[in-house]
Amino acid sequence: MKPELVSFKICPFVQRSVIVLKEKGADYDITYINLKEPPEWFREISPLGKVPLLKVGDAVVFESAVIMEYLDEVNPPSLHPTDPLRKAHNRAWIEFASTLFMCQFNMVMAKEQEACDSAEQELRDKLKLVDAQLAGPFFNGNDFSLVDAAYAPLFMRMALLEQWCPMGLMEGLPKMQVWSETLLARPAVQNSVVDELPQLYRGHIGSSGGYGAKRFGTDNT
Ligand SMILES: N[C@@H](CCC(=O)N[C@@H](CS)C(=O)NCC(=O)O)C(=O)O
């Protein structure tokens, strides 16, 4: 059955699912909503009021990591390592990626400089922890895995932020730099967002109106 992904154009969590769908060459529909004014039908079916949602027939699946797992299972071969312990390890680091998304979000949307600096430091500290896990060029070595799909949206936004406000977040992390470049060169990653993502993302940051907006955003929304 063809799934329908409910999306917000700049959401990194949604992007994870799109990367998996593209890597698998799976057929899907995508419906964009405006999270600032979510439609009634979305409120009715989204238990947390968050995207992504994956509609499959009458079923609604939420939480991006769960959606990725489902898409991986129904579109074999699996992108997870086969060894159970390695798979559990990968799942743990997928969970960790979500905390990095939040650091990045808190940094760019910070109202005050102190909050922005503290989120940036937390992001740097966490990137170091991830770097120590990398086999290279992908997370597990030579093959692309689900865990790579989970981190790629972070790197896409980091690359944009570095263009707008160089921070050297990858300095001293050469393995991570290779990982990021390898992921961002991948067609499934490049085609996982709308063309206007940079402008939308920057405008969204700019519209928050605080310190992060001045540092990273534009006021063209
Ligand atoms: N843990 C969730 C997080 C999803 C999430 O935070 N999505 C954001 C957009 S990027 C959202 O829908 N926010 C709406 C809200 O919090 O009201 C997942 O992994 O799917």
Side-chain angles (χ1 to χ4, degrees), residues 11-13 35 49-52 63-64:
C11 176
F13 296 98
L35 272 179
K50 294 182 181 191
V51 292
E63 283 300 323
S64 61

Side-chain angles (χ1 to χ4, degrees), residues 74-87:
V74 295
N75 296 285
S78 175
L79 287 170
H80 256 322
T82 45
D83 174 68
L85 185 54
R86 188 71 200 162
K87 196 189 293 190

Side-chain angles (χ1 to χ4, degrees), residues 195-207:
D195 291 344
E196 66 273 28
L197 176 84
Q199 299 90 304
L200 291 176
Y201 183 44
R202 200 169 194 193
H204 184 72
I205 295 169
S207 67

Side-chain angles (χ1 to χ4, degrees), residues 38-124:
E40 194 50 39
W41 62 262
F42 174 75
R43 291 175 203 270
E44 277 165 17
I45 62 169
S46 174
L48 297 171
K50 294 182 181 191
V51 292
L53 287 186
L54 191 76
K55 289 166 71 183
V56 187
D58 291 335
V60 175
V61 185
F62 58 104
E63 283 300 323
S64 61
V66 178
I67 293 173
M68 285 200 305
E69 296 264 350
Y70 167 77
L71 293 172
D72 186 52
E73 272 190 68
V74 295
N75 296 285
S78 175
L79 287 170
H80 256 322
T82 45
D83 174 68
L85 185 54
R86 188 71 200 162
K87 196 189 293 190
H89 171 270
N90 276 214
R91 285 179 170 138
W93 286 97
I94 287 174
E95 197 55 39
F96 193 74
S98 298
T99 70
L100 285 164
F101 288 2
M102 291 322 293
C103 291
Q104 191 175 57
F105 176 84
N106 292 338
M107 179 176 79
V108 299
M109 303 301 270
K111 296 278 178 233
E112 311 290 344
Q113 176 168 3
E114 202 184 342
C116 183
D117 291 348
S118 139
E120 179 183 333
Q121 190 53 52
E122 194 182 339
L123 182 58
R124 287 183 190 277

